[in-house]
Amino acid sequence: MNKMWKTLIIDDEQLARQRLTRLLKPYDDIDIIGEAVNGQDGLEKIEKLQPDLVFLDIEMPVLNGFEMLSLLKHQPKVVFTTAYDQYAIKAFEEDSIDYLLKPVETERLEKTIKKLQQFQHQPPVYLPLETLIKQLHVKKDIKTLTVKIGDKILLIKLDSIIYIEAEDKYVFLHTADGKKHLTDFTISSLEEKLPEAFVRIHRSYIINSDHIKEIRKSFNGAFVFVMNSAENTRLTSSRSNGEALRERFGI
């Protein structure tokens, strides 16, 4: 690249920010000048730091990525990072905006860096906000999730997943055969990506409602979900999800 890009990373997930920072480190022309943890924080830091380039998550608390962009005075180049699939974000390919699917891969990031050089002298162009949001909320009917084991990539069928668990910095897929698969996805990105059968009951758990054996009431409005696994796994919902779960399951 012909210039040094002052770069800001905006994402509410710490692991996503750390991963992107690590992947950008080999690029001498990328100068990471800061991070922001939500749309409002990003808005303030963009106006203060005046970056040339922003890696921007779409779904964030306070302000989402598009809401933040609509309020900016300083207009940097933007690379969106998103858990949405390629079908939903096809519109990005028709503009000078680029996008990265989470979890970000090294090879795809390299293409983005090359694209930045190509469009460095053009002003940023955005499709109409309303159109983008509608397109991004279209979910493709995915059937599998990928899991890397060494040099192998396994395709895990969604209907075999009983529940998903976030444990410290890791996210695991628990399947009907009793296995536990480590995935590169964050639990929040999976919540957005997966079809309606998958329900977030707790900050650490997403369950496949097709594998629920029993639902039991617990204390303070929480529920215990007994899953149809060999161990009859019991997962307790958070109290904050109680009302949504009562409505979802009619309990």
Side-chain angles (χ1 to χ4, degrees):
M1 286 193 289
N2 299 324
K3 64 175 286 184
M4 177 70 75
W5 293 80
K6 294 189 299 180
T7 302
L8 184 67
I9 297 173
I10 306 176
D11 197 306
D12 62 313
E13 296 180 356
Q14 183 180 4
L15 289 179
R17 296 196 306 272
Q18 290 174 344
R19 179 183 180 89
L20 191 51
T21 298
R22 175 170 53 82
L23 292 178
L24 288 169
K25 191 173 182 180
Y27 295 98
D28 294 334
D29 294 314
I30 299 292
D31 178 21
I32 299 175
I33 59 174
E35 298 180 0
V37 299
N38 58 50
Q40 182 61 44
D41 188 26
L43 178 65
E44 294 170 1
K45 287 184 176 174
I46 287 175
E47 300 300 353
K48 179 181 179 181
L49 300 174
Q50 303 279 293
D52 305 306
L53 173 65
V54 170
F55 286 86
L56 178 63
D57 187 20
I58 294 173
E59 293 296 331
M60 294 183 294
V62 188
L63 294 172
N64 69 35
F66 295 120
E67 291 169 337
M68 189 207 74
L69 286 175
S70 69
L71 298 173
L72 286 178
K73 296 178 182 178
H74 174 70
Q75 294 288 339
K77 290 287 195 306
V78 174
V79 175
F80 288 106
T81 60
T82 175
Y84 291 96
D85 61 31
Q86 292 174 338
Y87 177 81
I89 54 176
K90 186 176 184 299
F92 287 141
E93 297 176 338
E94 300 171 4
D95 274 289
S96 60
I97 303 173
D98 204 1
Y99 66 90
L100 293 168
L101 295 176
K102 292 182 178 179
V104 176
E105 298 293 344
T106 304
E107 295 80 7
R108 183 61 182 84
L109 180 60
E110 185 174 353
K111 292 180 181 179
T112 294
I113 300 301
K114 290 179 180 178
K115 191 172 182 180
L116 284 170
Q117 181 180 14
Q118 181 181 355
F119 290 107
Q120 67 179 351
H121 299 301
Q122 295 184 16
V125 178
Y126 305 116
L127 292 175
L129 179 62
E130 184 178 359
T131 302
L132 277 170
I133 291 175
K134 286 181 179 178
Q135 289 170 334
L136 284 162
H137 280 82
V138 176
K139 284 190 175 181
K140 193 176 181 180
D141 187 19
I142 63 172
K143 300 294 184 183
T144 61
L145 289 176
T146 56
V147 171
K148 296 178 182 178
I149 302 179
D151 295 332
K152 297 180 181 179
I153 297 178
L154 300 183
L155 297 178
I156 307 298
K157 293 183 178 180
L158 295 190
D159 57 12
S160 73
I161 299 173
I162 294 179
Y163 69 100
I164 298 165
E165 178 185 24
E167 185 179 316
D168 296 325
K169 297 180 179 180
Y170 306 101
V171 175
F172 298 95
L173 311 178
H174 293 261
T175 51
D177 57 6
K179 294 182 179 179
K180 181 178 179 180
H181 301 276
L182 176 65
T183 177
D184 286 335
F185 292 101
T186 65
I187 195 166
S188 294
S189 67
L190 287 174
E191 182 183 13
E192 296 292 341
K193 187 180 185 71
L194 291 170
E196 297 300 320
F198 288 83
V199 183
R200 183 84 172 261
I201 66 167
H202 187 277
R203 65 189 301 270
S204 298
Y205 301 120
I206 295 174
I207 62 172
N208 184 346
S209 59
D210 293 336
H211 285 283
I212 297 173
K213 187 175 183 179
E214 297 177 12
I215 302 176
R216 302 176 182 177
K217 291 184 179 180
S218 186
F219 298 104
N220 299 319
F223 296 95
V224 176
F225 290 83
V226 182
M227 304 307 294
N228 193 20
S229 63
E231 303 82 12
N232 290 322
T233 304
R234 289 165 169 77
L235 303 172
T236 303
S237 70
S238 62
R239 287 182 295 171
S240 60
N241 285 346
E243 185 61 36
L245 293 173
R246 275 192 292 273
E247 183 176 345
R248 169 66 187 267
F249 294 105
I251 52 180

